[in-house]
Amino acid sequence: PHQNHFGGFFDLLEEFSIVRVWTNGQKEGEEDYAVLLERFDAQHIPVGFLKEGFFLKQESHVQIKVLNPSFENASLNDQSVVLWLIYGQTAFLLTGDIEVKRQDEIFSKYPDVLTSQGIQIPHHGRSLSVHFRHVPPETSLIISTGPNVWGMPDDEVLRGFSGKVFRTDQQGTIVLESDGRRVRVVRGGTEKDL
């Protein structure tokens, strides 16, 4: 429930008909989080809570597995929702703001996630597990950030990655598309197969 994660929902509520929202179950957060939860309630949008081990979708060609939160002695960042989306022969890992210790725990428990074709780098590239140095070179590592007071991403942390690093602060919006067999990166109106 940090503003830089939930803030865009206010615009989404104006533009789309949202039928369900999934969260990590936190009731309190930064300024306006309570207002957002009230807006969901006022619009009769059900809010579900996720935890490790749940499946949001489990079909023959699409799976979305919840890898976090586990809530065991977890900081607010370490309670971030972490999703592993598998579509055909391709996979994507979405990590929220999990810190290094929780990254290591998840990668040790679910080592296959590091073979994903697309990985959202945790916590805007602040501090990262050494596991990220061993992803396949064709992996797209996406860092979602913009101007910020924290100085993220840390360029020193990013050195030595074997995957392809894409940064929203330098390249704008980055979209990964999959047909279940291959992944295409779309950025700045150009498309490129991985």
Side-chain angles (χ1 to χ4, degrees), residues 2-188:
H2 290 157
Q3 177 70 36
N4 65 325
H5 288 258
F6 71 78
F9 263 107
F10 291 102
D11 290 333
L12 293 175
L13 285 167
E14 300 297 324
E15 297 293 326
F16 298 99
S17 176
I18 298 173
V19 296
R20 186 168 189 84
V21 171
W22 294 98
T23 75
N24 68 354
Q26 288 296 121
K27 302 279 190 208
E28 298 179 7
E30 291 181 347
E31 185 177 351
D32 289 337
Y33 188 66
V35 173
L36 179 62
L37 294 178
E38 289 169 9
R39 291 275 302 274
F40 292 151
D41 188 51
Q43 294 186 25
H44 307 290
I45 300 171
V47 177
F49 308 126
L50 299 175
K51 68 177 184 177
E52 181 183 5
F54 281 18
F55 280 88
L56 285 177
K57 196 169 190 80
Q58 192 171 14
E59 298 173 0
S60 59
H61 63 288
V62 177
Q63 292 185 31
I64 303 175
K65 185 172 184 178
V66 180
L67 307 183
N68 202 59
S70 70
F71 298 110
E72 297 173 10
N73 302 315
S75 67
L76 196 56
N77 284 335
D78 282 341
Q79 293 177 35
S80 292
V81 172
V82 175
L83 302 176
W84 191 27
L85 187 153
I86 301 167
Y87 175 45
Q89 300 165 11
T90 62
F92 305 88
L93 179 65
L94 306 172
T95 61
D97 275 353
I98 56 173
E99 304 286 354
V100 173
K101 182 179 177 192
R102 188 64 186 136
Q103 293 168 32
D104 287 336
E105 291 168 354
I106 289 172
F107 299 150
S108 294
K109 191 169 184 178
Y110 306 101
D112 288 347
V113 300
L114 289 170
T115 65
S116 299
Q117 286 75 23
I119 298 176
Q120 173 254 320
I121 294 290
H123 209 184
H124 318 283
R126 179 178 178 194
S127 53
L128 302 174
S129 166
V130 295
H131 286 89
F132 281 103
R133 299 191 178 278
H134 306 291
V135 299
E138 63 274 9
T139 300
S140 290
L141 302 167
I142 311 296
I143 299 177
S144 176
T145 192
N148 60 78
V149 297
W150 307 284
M152 295 187 285
D154 184 333
D155 290 331
E156 186 64 35
V157 170
L158 302 182
R159 287 195 182 93
F161 280 172
S162 55
K164 300 172 188 149
V165 177
F166 297 94
R167 294 174 49 165
T168 61
D169 59 332
Q170 295 177 350
Q171 296 156 307
T173 300
I174 298 161
V175 177
L176 299 182
E177 294 180 345
S178 170
D179 62 5
R181 292 186 308 277
R182 64 175 193 231
V183 176
R184 179 176 294 239
V185 177
V186 180
R187 63 170 196 244

